[in-house]
Amino acid sequence: KEFAAAASLQEERRHSRAVFEDLLSKHESCHEASFGLGRLELLQLRCEDAQRHLEDAVAIVSTEALYVSWLAWAVLLQASRWA
């Protein structure tokens, strides 16, 4: 059961990534897709990639507190890896 849940989660992440990447290929300024990719990357502890996507989202909509919060986590996690 646990393996099936993990496989399902991986498939969901792959699908979400494909959707976000497709959106960005059509609409470069889609902050929701940039945020979505950044969130996916951060949940997989790919902090550098997460930071890049989250910075893109914040650059488009700098007043979105949720985007700024996730960006802060990405920066902190990345910094803690080098400490």
Side-chain angles (χ1 to χ4, degrees):
K1 231 177 185 183
E2 195 172 307
F3 177 75
S8 176
L9 180 60
Q10 284 183 326
E11 184 56 38
E12 184 178 330
R13 286 179 178 167
R14 273 194 290 273
H15 175 73
S16 295
R17 177 181 302 283
V19 168
F20 295 141
E21 288 174 347
D22 182 56
L23 279 169
L24 283 174
S25 74
K26 295 173 183 171
H27 310 281
E28 290 180 11
S29 63
C30 181
H31 57 93
E32 296 95 336
S34 292
F35 171 72
L37 282 173
R39 186 177 173 278
L40 282 175
E41 296 289 5
L42 193 57
L43 290 172
Q44 295 177 334
L45 296 177
R46 297 180 185 149
C47 300
E48 191 172 321
D49 292 332
Q51 183 176 343
R52 182 173 43 88
H53 290 298
L54 293 165
E55 284 174 346
D56 290 346
V58 169
I60 298 165
V61 182
S62 61
T63 57
E64 179 57 60
L66 183 63
Y67 296 177
V68 175
S69 298
W70 277 83
L71 175 57
W73 276 112
V75 171
L76 286 170
L77 287 172
Q78 190 172 347
S80 70
R81 292 180 145 197
W82 297 106

